[in-house]
Amino acid sequence: LACDSLLLVQYVDAIGEVKIADIDQNPNMWWMARGGGGNFPGIVTGFQMQAFARPEEVYVAHCTFGPEDAKAVAKAWLARGEEMVHPHRKLFTSLQVWSRPRTMDVLIYCYDCDFAQRLWMESAMDIIARDKASRSCVQPHTRAWLDQILYGAGNNHGQFKPTGGAKEDLMNCSNGWGSQGRLTASKSGGKMGYEWLAP
């Protein structure tokens, strides 16, 4: 997530003072600026982000499950969470719960992975999806980086209204997830977590 790459934020606080927040200075404000505390109590005037090399391709595994398997899927996904997010794996994973239709999606992305890393990713998804009657999995496949950015912005889910080329579509602030009219918000928000626990 972009919030994980925020190194520093400069802001004006409630009494008009310019302050810096990072891991060492005002760490609570830095945590809130990264999305961990709801609203940010200041006006952000600058920020510093960690830059990363752009990957060439993204290897994708995606399974959808019905509500009858949701609890078992969530527990299986959480049980593998810590192992999946180790940096040497080069993975990003998410579990998404949808209300219309009532489904749960598990996505695992591997960035510029070699053959062994792809096999490990596929086996992790196989373990999560094992014995779930409602599973519907897409064959793991590769996307170019820009195609992955467009997918994440909602291009394959009807959230994009093409206006030109890929660059123009990404710059169009009317495209992507968010409110699509009264009572039809496609995504109401999210929560960050730092612990992999299942009750």
Side-chain angles (χ1 to χ4, degrees), residues 67-173:
E68 63 273 18
D69 288 321
K71 185 174 183 177
V73 169
K75 283 187 173 192
W77 181 76
L78 286 167
R80 278 142 201 85
E82 281 191 60
E83 199 173 353
M84 285 192 284
V85 298
H86 281 290
H88 73 277
R89 298 247 182 251
K90 300 198 257 180
L91 299 180
F92 172 80
T93 183
S94 69
L95 182 137
Q96 302 168 359
V97 180
W98 303 93
S99 59
R100 286 184 278 166
R102 289 179 26 180
T103 58
M104 177 180 281
D105 287 353
V106 174
L107 296 108
I108 307 175
Y109 304 109
C110 195
Y111 297 90
D112 286 339
C113 293
D114 61 29
F115 183 73
Q117 291 166 322
R118 287 181 180 200
L119 286 178
W120 190 93
M121 182 186 101
E122 289 176 18
S123 70
M125 183 63 91
D126 288 344
I127 291 167
I128 293 167
R130 184 180 299 146
D131 302 326
K132 312 300 187 293
S134 67
R135 76 177 178 272
S136 172
C137 298
V138 176
Q139 182 70 28
H141 57 283
T142 300
R143 286 192 189 117
W145 175 243
L146 182 57
D147 291 336
Q148 177 62 31
I149 296 294
L150 289 168
Y151 178 85
N155 187 43
N156 294 39
H157 302 285
Q159 300 301 312
F160 249 73
K161 297 156 197 79
T163 58
K167 183 178 178 183
E168 291 80 12
D169 288 345
L170 283 172
M171 300 301 286
N172 181 348
C173 63

Side-chain angles (χ1 to χ4, degrees), residues 5 7 49-53:
S5 300
L7 299 175
M49 303 291 289
Q50 173 66 52
F52 297 95

